[in-house]
Amino acid sequence: MKGNYHTHTPRCGHAVGSDEENIQAAIDFGLEELGFSEHAMFSDIYNEYGMRPPYNVLEEYIQTLDKLKEKYKDKIKIYKAMECEYFEEYYDELKELLDSKKLDYLVFGNHFVHHKQGRIYTERNIWGSKEYFDLYVDKAIEAMNLKLFKIFAHPDLVFLFYPKWDEYGEKRCLEMIKAAEENDVYIEVNIGGFRRGIQKLGDELRYPYPFDKFWKLVKKIGNKIIVSFDSHDPKEISEDKDYKLAMEFVKKLDLKVEEKINIK
């Protein structure tokens, strides 16, 4: 692992540690590249479920990382990104951030889905629902087909609220995985799932993600795979027990992991 492209900061309201502490942790770990990917700042959404910075933080975020990129250029390569949902009404905002080179890439994190009731937070409101499972998968496929996103973060997050692995779930996941492959989107093994500990999900006791049945499909299709810390604390960028569990998971399933991603 030579790059981590999923890093959060206190700007989101649920992380700790300064930008430079994250950079130093990455250097100490031996990373060659570090991508900051704070939760998306959209023009008229603020602090949804305590996980999103206000929009007026965006310019400070970009400018600060530009300065740090220059300061540490001889030690590590710094990238600027955001972890975003895809909402149609903010497409132009996201595209402009990429086209203007203010951000280097976008991470797709499917935390919310659109519904007639409004935006629904996937982890809290839609347990066991095939309807919302479809919304999650459909939105993921739509997002990847836009070619805006470089990484699909914790794609198997969906199995937090649709905990059974059945024929229907496998069919729909295959569609999602193929969409990532066709659009050259890296799929992420997310170390953060191990930090959550073993939980009872459906009839199983397991880590919420990564979900082995999902990743066997990924291996079958042959997607580009990365491992990310999804760090919310510089201390999480380390060879701790969760990192070791992730490496064991990758080895057990014989997944071919990219050490760095290609950012043009």
Side-chain angles (χ1 to χ4, degrees):
M1 186 174 178
K2 295 181 179 178
N4 177 61
Y5 305 94
H6 195 162
T7 312
H8 293 284
T9 77
R11 296 174 183 86
C12 67
H14 60 276
V16 298
S18 70
D19 298 333
E20 291 200 70
E21 286 173 331
N22 277 297
I23 292 169
Q24 191 56 57
I27 292 169
D28 292 344
F29 182 86
L31 295 181
E32 297 175 6
E33 299 183 351
L34 180 66
F36 284 87
S37 56
E38 191 52 279
H39 287 288
M41 291 150 263
F42 293 118
S43 57
D44 60 356
I45 305 178
Y46 173 62
N47 199 31
E48 274 186 312
Y49 287 91
M51 65 175 291
R52 196 185 305 283
Y55 186 67
N56 61 13
V57 171
L58 179 58
E59 282 304 316
E60 177 275 324
Y61 174 66
I62 293 168
Q63 291 172 14
T64 298
L65 293 183
D66 280 335
K67 292 175 183 175
L68 293 174
K69 183 176 183 177
E70 177 65 22
K71 179 177 179 178
Y72 287 93
K73 65 181 181 181
D74 295 329
K75 295 183 178 181
I76 191 168
K77 190 168 185 63
I78 303 296
Y79 289 109
K80 302 166 294 178
M82 293 196 306
E83 181 186 8
C84 315
E85 298 77 15
Y86 172 58
F87 305 135
E88 293 85 348
E89 59 267 37
Y90 301 107
Y91 171 84
D92 290 339
E93 289 183 19
L94 295 178
K95 190 171 187 303
E96 192 277 331
L97 287 168
L98 292 175
D99 290 346
S100 65
K101 307 298 183 184
K102 288 184 176 181
L103 295 182
D104 299 304
Y105 64 93
L106 294 174
V107 178
F108 179 60
N110 205 11
H111 301 101
F112 293 85
V113 295
H114 272 310
H115 186 263
K116 58 189 176 184
Q117 299 174 1
R119 275 193 296 270
I120 304 295
Y121 186 39
T122 55
E123 292 192 40
R124 298 189 185 181
N125 297 311
I126 54 182
W127 181 261
S129 167
K130 184 179 286 188
E131 176 190 3
Y132 291 116
F133 180 83
D134 281 336
L135 287 173
Y136 181 100
V137 173
D138 290 342
K139 180 57 65 175
I141 292 171
E142 181 184 1
M144 285 181 283
N145 285 339
L146 294 170
K147 301 187 186 300
L148 279 180
F149 297 96
K150 178 65 68 175
I151 298 167
F152 187 178
H154 41 59
D156 40 350
L157 179 75
V158 67
F159 289 101
L160 269 174
F161 62 84
Y162 190 81
K164 57 187 176 182
W165 183 260
D166 56 17
E167 185 178 346
Y168 185 77
E170 181 174 348
K171 172 181 174 292
R172 299 257 39 215
C173 282
L174 194 57
E175 294 174 34
M176 188 165 62
I177 292 164
K178 285 182 176 178
E181 194 274 333
E182 290 166 1
N183 290 288
D184 200 29
V185 176
Y186 293 82
I187 296 189
E188 176 199 74
V189 174
N190 188 290
I191 296 174
F194 292 108
R195 291 190 206 107
R196 293 185 175 211
I198 293 175
Q199 303 175 16
K200 190 174 192 307
L201 296 166
D203 298 326
E204 292 186 277
L205 282 172
R206 60 175 174 84
Y207 292 99
Y209 52 89
F211 188 31
D212 58 352
K213 295 180 177 68
F214 176 89
W215 285 95
K216 288 175 182 176
L217 277 186
V218 174
K219 180 182 177 182
K220 181 179 178 181
I221 299 302
N223 298 68
K224 292 181 179 178
I225 301 170
I226 61 165
V227 176
S228 294
F229 285 109
D230 190 2
S231 57
H232 291 71
D233 183 327
K235 294 176 183 177
E236 293 171 354
I237 304 176
S238 67
E239 291 192 38
D240 62 9
K241 63 178 180 60
D242 302 308
Y243 170 81
K244 291 174 181 176
L245 284 169
M247 294 301 103
E248 289 169 8
F249 178 85
V250 165
K251 184 177 181 181
K252 179 181 177 181
L253 295 187
D254 193 28
L255 300 176
K256 183 181 178 182
V257 174
E258 307 283 334
E259 293 192 316
K260 294 192 286 188
I261 68 173
N262 181 25
I263 300 175
K264 296 180 180 178

CSV table of all heavy atoms in Angstrom, one decimal, residues 212-246:
chain,number,residue,atom,x,y,z
A,212,ASP,N,-17.5,-10.5,2.4
A,212,ASP,CA,-16.7,-11.4,1.5
A,212,ASP,C,-17.5,-11.8,0.3
A,212,ASP,O,-16.9,-12.0,-0.8
A,212,ASP,CB,-16.2,-12.6,2.3
A,212,ASP,CG,-17.3,-13.4,3.0
A,212,ASP,OD1,-18.5,-12.9,3.0
A,212,ASP,OD2,-17.0,-14.4,3.5
A,213,LYS,N,-18.8,-12.1,0.4
A,213,LYS,CA,-19.6,-12.5,-0.8
A,213,LYS,C,-19.6,-11.5,-1.9
A,213,LYS,O,-19.5,-11.8,-3.1
A,213,LYS,CB,-21.0,-12.9,-0.3
A,213,LYS,CG,-21.1,-14.0,0.6
A,213,LYS,CD,-22.5,-14.3,1.0
A,213,LYS,CE,-22.6,-15.6,2.0
A,213,LYS,NZ,-22.0,-15.3,3.3
A,214,PHE,N,-19.6,-10.2,-1.5
A,214,PHE,CA,-19.6,-9.1,-2.5
A,214,PHE,C,-18.2,-9.1,-3.2
A,214,PHE,O,-18.1,-9.0,-4.4
A,214,PHE,CB,-19.8,-7.8,-1.8
A,214,PHE,CG,-19.7,-6.6,-2.7
A,214,PHE,CD1,-20.8,-6.1,-3.4
A,214,PHE,CD2,-18.5,-5.9,-2.8
A,214,PHE,CE1,-20.7,-5.0,-4.2
A,214,PHE,CE2,-18.4,-4.8,-3.6
A,214,PHE,CZ,-19.5,-4.4,-4.3
A,215,TRP,N,-17.2,-9.3,-2.4
A,215,TRP,CA,-15.8,-9.2,-3.0
A,215,TRP,C,-15.4,-10.4,-3.8
A,215,TRP,O,-14.6,-10.2,-4.7
A,215,TRP,CB,-14.8,-8.9,-1.9
A,215,TRP,CG,-14.9,-7.5,-1.4
A,215,TRP,CD1,-15.7,-7.0,-0.4
A,215,TRP,CD2,-14.4,-6.4,-2.1
A,215,TRP,NE1,-15.6,-5.6,-0.3
A,215,TRP,CE2,-14.8,-5.2,-1.4
A,215,TRP,CE3,-13.6,-6.2,-3.2
A,215,TRP,CZ2,-14.5,-3.9,-1.8
A,215,TRP,CZ3,-13.2,-4.9,-3.6
A,215,TRP,CH2,-13.7,-3.8,-2.9
A,216,LYS,N,-16.1,-11.5,-3.6
A,216,LYS,CA,-15.8,-12.6,-4.5
A,216,LYS,C,-16.4,-12.3,-5.9
A,216,LYS,O,-15.8,-12.7,-6.9
A,216,LYS,CB,-16.5,-13.9,-4.0
A,216,LYS,CG,-15.8,-14.4,-2.8
A,216,LYS,CD,-16.5,-15.6,-2.1
A,216,LYS,CE,-15.8,-16.1,-0.9
A,216,LYS,NZ,-16.5,-17.2,-0.2
A,217,LEU,N,-17.5,-11.5,-6.0
A,217,LEU,CA,-18.0,-11.1,-7.3
A,217,LEU,C,-17.0,-10.1,-7.9
A,217,LEU,O,-16.8,-10.1,-9.1
A,217,LEU,CB,-19.3,-10.4,-7.1
A,217,LEU,CG,-20.6,-11.3,-7.1
A,217,LEU,CD1,-21.8,-10.4,-7.0
A,217,LEU,CD2,-20.7,-12.3,-8.2
A,218,VAL,N,-16.5,-9.2,-7.1
A,218,VAL,CA,-15.5,-8.2,-7.6
A,218,VAL,C,-14.3,-8.9,-8.3
A,218,VAL,O,-13.9,-8.6,-9.4
A,218,VAL,CB,-15.0,-7.3,-6.5
A,218,VAL,CG1,-13.9,-6.3,-7.0
A,218,VAL,CG2,-16.2,-6.4,-6.0
A,219,LYS,N,-13.8,-9.9,-7.6
A,219,LYS,CA,-12.7,-10.7,-8.1
A,219,LYS,C,-13.1,-11.4,-9.4
A,219,LYS,O,-12.3,-11.4,-10.4
A,219,LYS,CB,-12.3,-11.7,-7.1
A,219,LYS,CG,-11.1,-12.6,-7.5
A,219,LYS,CD,-10.7,-13.6,-6.5
A,219,LYS,CE,-9.6,-14.5,-7.0
A,219,LYS,NZ,-9.2,-15.6,-6.1
A,220,LYS,N,-14.3,-11.9,-9.5
A,220,LYS,CA,-14.7,-12.6,-10.7
A,220,LYS,C,-14.7,-11.6,-11.9
A,220,LYS,O,-14.3,-12.0,-13.0
A,220,LYS,CB,-16.1,-13.2,-10.5
A,220,LYS,CG,-16.7,-13.9,-11.6
A,220,LYS,CD,-18.0,-14.5,-11.3
A,220,LYS,CE,-18.7,-15.2,-12.5
A,220,LYS,NZ,-20.0,-15.7,-12.1
A,221,ILE,N,-15.2,-10.4,-11.7
A,221,ILE,CA,-15.3,-9.4,-12.8
A,221,ILE,C,-13.9,-8.8,-13.1
A,221,ILE,O,-13.6,-8.5,-14.3
A,221,ILE,CB,-16.2,-8.3,-12.4
A,221,ILE,CG1,-17.6,-8.9,-12.2
A,221,ILE,CG2,-16.3,-7.2,-13.5
A,221,ILE,CD1,-18.2,-9.6,-13.4
A,222,GLY,N,-13.0,-8.7,-12.1
A,222,GLY,CA,-11.7,-8.2,-12.4
A,222,GLY,C,-11.5,-6.7,-12.2
A,222,GLY,O,-10.7,-6.1,-12.9
A,223,ASN,N,-12.3,-6.1,-11.4
A,223,ASN,CA,-12.2,-4.7,-11.2
A,223,ASN,C,-10.8,-4.2,-10.6
A,223,ASN,O,-10.1,-5.0,-10.0
A,223,ASN,CB,-13.2,-4.2,-10.2
A,223,ASN,CG,-14.7,-4.5,-10.7
A,223,ASN,OD1,-15.1,-5.6,-10.8
A,223,ASN,ND2,-15.4,-3.4,-10.9
A,224,LYS,N,-10.5,-3.0,-10.8
A,224,LYS,CA,-9.4,-2.4,-10.1
A,224,LYS,C,-9.8,-2.2,-8.6
A,224,LYS,O,-10.8,-1.6,-8.3
A,224,LYS,CB,-9.0,-1.0,-10.7
A,224,LYS,CG,-8.4,-1.1,-12.1
A,224,LYS,CD,-8.1,0.3,-12.6
A,224,LYS,CE,-7.5,0.2,-14.0
A,224,LYS,NZ,-7.2,1.6,-14.6
A,225,ILE,N,-8.9,-2.6,-7.7
A,225,ILE,CA,-9.2,-2.6,-6.3
A,225,ILE,C,-8.1,-1.8,-5.6
A,225,ILE,O,-6.9,-1.9,-5.8
A,225,ILE,CB,-9.2,-4.0,-5.7
A,225,ILE,CG1,-10.3,-4.9,-6.4
A,225,ILE,CG2,-9.5,-4.0,-4.2
A,225,ILE,CD1,-10.2,-6.4,-6.1
A,226,ILE,N,-8.6,-1.0,-4.6
A,226,ILE,CA,-7.6,-0.3,-3.7
A,226,ILE,C,-8.1,-0.6,-2.3
A,226,ILE,O,-9.2,-1.0,-2.0
A,226,ILE,CB,-7.5,1.2,-3.9
A,226,ILE,CG1,-8.9,1.9,-3.7
A,226,ILE,CG2,-7.0,1.5,-5.3
A,226,ILE,CD1,-8.8,3.4,-3.6
A,227,VAL,N,-7.2,-0.4,-1.3
A,227,VAL,CA,-7.5,-0.5,0.1
A,227,VAL,C,-7.3,0.9,0.6
A,227,VAL,O,-6.3,1.6,0.3
A,227,VAL,CB,-6.5,-1.5,0.8
A,227,VAL,CG1,-6.8,-1.4,2.3
A,227,VAL,CG2,-6.7,-2.9,0.3
A,228,SER,N,-8.3,1.4,1.4
A,228,SER,CA,-8.2,2.7,2.0
A,228,SER,C,-8.4,2.7,3.5
A,228,SER,O,-9.2,1.9,4.0
A,228,SER,CB,-9.3,3.6,1.3
A,228,SER,OG,-9.0,3.8,0.0
A,229,PHE,N,-7.8,3.6,4.2
A,229,PHE,CA,-8.0,3.8,5.6
A,229,PHE,C,-9.3,4.4,6.0
A,229,PHE,O,-9.9,4.1,7.0
A,229,PHE,CB,-6.9,4.6,6.2
A,229,PHE,CG,-5.5,4.0,6.3
A,229,PHE,CD1,-4.5,4.3,5.5
A,229,PHE,CD2,-5.3,2.9,7.3
A,229,PHE,CE1,-3.2,3.7,5.6
A,229,PHE,CE2,-4.1,2.3,7.4
A,229,PHE,CZ,-3.1,2.7,6.6
A,230,ASP,N,-9.9,5.2,5.1
A,230,ASP,CA,-11.1,6.0,5.5
A,230,ASP,C,-10.8,6.6,6.9
A,230,ASP,O,-11.7,6.5,7.8
A,230,ASP,CB,-12.3,5.1,5.5
A,230,ASP,CG,-13.6,5.9,5.6
A,230,ASP,OD1,-13.6,7.2,5.6
A,230,ASP,OD2,-14.7,5.3,5.7
A,231,SER,N,-9.7,7.3,7.0
A,231,SER,CA,-9.3,7.7,8.3
A,231,SER,C,-10.0,9.0,8.8
A,231,SER,O,-10.3,9.9,8.0
A,231,SER,CB,-7.8,8.0,8.4
A,231,SER,OG,-7.4,8.9,7.4
A,232,HIS,N,-10.4,9.0,10.1
A,232,HIS,CA,-11.0,10.1,10.7
A,232,HIS,C,-10.1,10.6,11.9
A,232,HIS,O,-10.5,11.4,12.7
A,232,HIS,CB,-12.4,9.8,11.2
A,232,HIS,CG,-13.4,9.6,10.1
A,232,HIS,ND1,-13.3,8.5,9.3
A,232,HIS,CD2,-14.4,10.4,9.7
A,232,HIS,CE1,-14.3,8.6,8.4
A,232,HIS,NE2,-15.0,9.7,8.6
A,233,ASP,N,-8.9,10.1,11.9
A,233,ASP,CA,-8.0,10.4,13.0
A,233,ASP,C,-6.6,10.0,12.5
A,233,ASP,O,-6.5,8.8,11.9
A,233,ASP,CB,-8.3,9.5,14.3
A,233,ASP,CG,-7.4,9.8,15.4
A,233,ASP,OD1,-6.2,10.1,15.2
A,233,ASP,OD2,-7.9,9.8,16.6
A,234,PRO,N,-5.6,10.8,12.6
A,234,PRO,CA,-4.2,10.4,12.1
A,234,PRO,C,-3.7,9.1,12.6
A,234,PRO,O,-3.0,8.4,11.9
A,234,PRO,CB,-3.3,11.6,12.5
A,234,PRO,CG,-4.3,12.7,12.7
A,234,PRO,CD,-5.6,12.2,13.1
A,235,LYS,N,-4.2,8.7,13.8
A,235,LYS,CA,-3.7,7.5,14.4
A,235,LYS,C,-4.2,6.3,13.6
A,235,LYS,O,-3.7,5.2,13.8
A,235,LYS,CB,-4.2,7.4,15.9
A,235,LYS,CG,-3.6,8.4,16.8
A,235,LYS,CD,-4.2,8.3,18.2
A,235,LYS,CE,-3.6,9.4,19.1
A,235,LYS,NZ,-4.3,9.4,20.5
A,236,GLU,N,-5.3,6.5,12.8
A,236,GLU,CA,-5.8,5.4,12.0
A,236,GLU,C,-5.0,5.1,10.8
A,236,GLU,O,-5.2,4.1,10.1
A,236,GLU,CB,-7.3,5.7,11.6
A,236,GLU,CG,-8.2,5.7,12.9
A,236,GLU,CD,-9.6,6.2,12.6
A,236,GLU,OE1,-9.8,6.6,11.4
A,236,GLU,OE2,-10.4,6.1,13.5
A,237,ILE,N,-4.1,6.0,10.4
A,237,ILE,CA,-3.1,5.7,9.3
A,237,ILE,C,-1.9,5.0,9.9
A,237,ILE,O,-0.9,5.6,10.2
A,237,ILE,CB,-2.7,7.0,8.6
A,237,ILE,CG1,-4.0,7.8,8.2
A,237,ILE,CG2,-1.8,6.7,7.4
A,237,ILE,CD1,-3.7,9.1,7.5
A,238,SER,N,-2.1,3.7,10.2
A,238,SER,CA,-1.1,3.0,10.9
A,238,SER,C,-1.3,1.5,10.6
A,238,SER,O,-2.3,1.1,10.2
A,238,SER,CB,-1.1,3.3,12.4
A,238,SER,OG,-2.3,2.7,12.9
A,239,GLU,N,-0.3,0.7,11.0
A,239,GLU,CA,-0.4,-0.7,10.9
A,239,GLU,C,-1.0,-1.3,12.2
A,239,GLU,O,-0.4,-2.1,12.8
A,239,GLU,CB,1.0,-1.3,10.7
A,239,GLU,CG,1.6,-1.0,9.3
A,239,GLU,CD,2.8,-1.8,8.9
A,239,GLU,OE1,2.8,-3.0,9.3
A,239,GLU,OE2,3.7,-1.3,8.3
A,240,ASP,N,-2.2,-0.8,12.4
A,240,ASP,CA,-2.9,-1.3,13.6
A,240,ASP,C,-3.7,-2.6,13.3
A,240,ASP,O,-3.6,-3.1,12.2
A,240,ASP,CB,-3.9,-0.2,14.2
A,240,ASP,CG,-5.0,0.2,13.2
A,240,ASP,OD1,-5.1,-0.5,12.1
A,240,ASP,OD2,-5.7,1.2,13.4
A,241,LYS,N,-4.5,-3.0,14.3
A,241,LYS,CA,-5.2,-4.3,14.1
A,241,LYS,C,-6.1,-4.3,12.9
A,241,LYS,O,-6.4,-5.3,12.3
A,241,LYS,CB,-5.9,-4.7,15.4
A,241,LYS,CG,-7.0,-3.8,15.8
A,241,LYS,CD,-7.7,-4.3,17.1
A,241,LYS,CE,-8.8,-3.4,17.6
A,241,LYS,NZ,-9.9,-3.2,16.6
A,242,ASP,N,-6.8,-3.1,12.7
A,242,ASP,CA,-7.8,-3.0,11.6
A,242,ASP,C,-7.1,-3.1,10.3
A,242,ASP,O,-7.6,-3.7,9.3
A,242,ASP,CB,-8.6,-1.7,11.8
A,242,ASP,CG,-9.3,-1.7,13.1
A,242,ASP,OD1,-10.0,-2.6,13.5
A,242,ASP,OD2,-9.1,-0.7,13.8
A,243,TYR,N,-6.0,-2.4,10.1
A,243,TYR,CA,-5.2,-2.5,8.9
A,243,TYR,C,-4.8,-4.0,8.7
A,243,TYR,O,-4.9,-4.5,7.5
A,243,TYR,CB,-3.9,-1.6,9.0
A,243,TYR,CG,-2.9,-1.9,7.9
A,243,TYR,CD1,-3.1,-1.3,6.6
A,243,TYR,CD2,-1.8,-2.7,8.1
A,243,TYR,CE1,-2.2,-1.5,5.6
A,243,TYR,CE2,-0.9,-2.9,7.0
A,243,TYR,CZ,-1.1,-2.3,5.8
A,243,TYR,OH,-0.2,-2.5,4.8
A,244,LYS,N,-4.3,-4.7,9.7
A,244,LYS,CA,-3.9,-6.1,9.6
A,244,LYS,C,-5.1,-7.0,9.2
A,244,LYS,O,-4.9,-7.9,8.4
A,244,LYS,CB,-3.2,-6.5,10.8
A,244,LYS,CG,-1.9,-5.8,11.1
A,244,LYS,CD,-1.3,-6.2,12.5
A,244,LYS,CE,0.0,-5.5,12.7
A,244,LYS,NZ,0.6,-5.7,14.0
A,245,LEU,N,-6.3,-6.7,9.7
A,245,LEU,CA,-7.4,-7.4,9.4
A,245,LEU,C,-7.8,-7.2,7.9
A,245,LEU,O,-8.2,-8.2,7.2
A,245,LEU,CB,-8.6,-7.0,10.2
A,245,LEU,CG,-8.6,-7.5,11.7
A,245,LEU,CD1,-9.7,-6.8,12.5
A,245,LEU,CD2,-8.9,-9.0,11.7
A,246,ALA,N,-7.6,-6.0,7.4
A,246,ALA,CA,-7.9,-5.7,6.0
A,246,ALA,C,-6.9,-6.5,5.1
A,246,ALA,O,-7.3,-7.1,4.1
A,246,ALA,CB,-7.8,-4.2,5.7
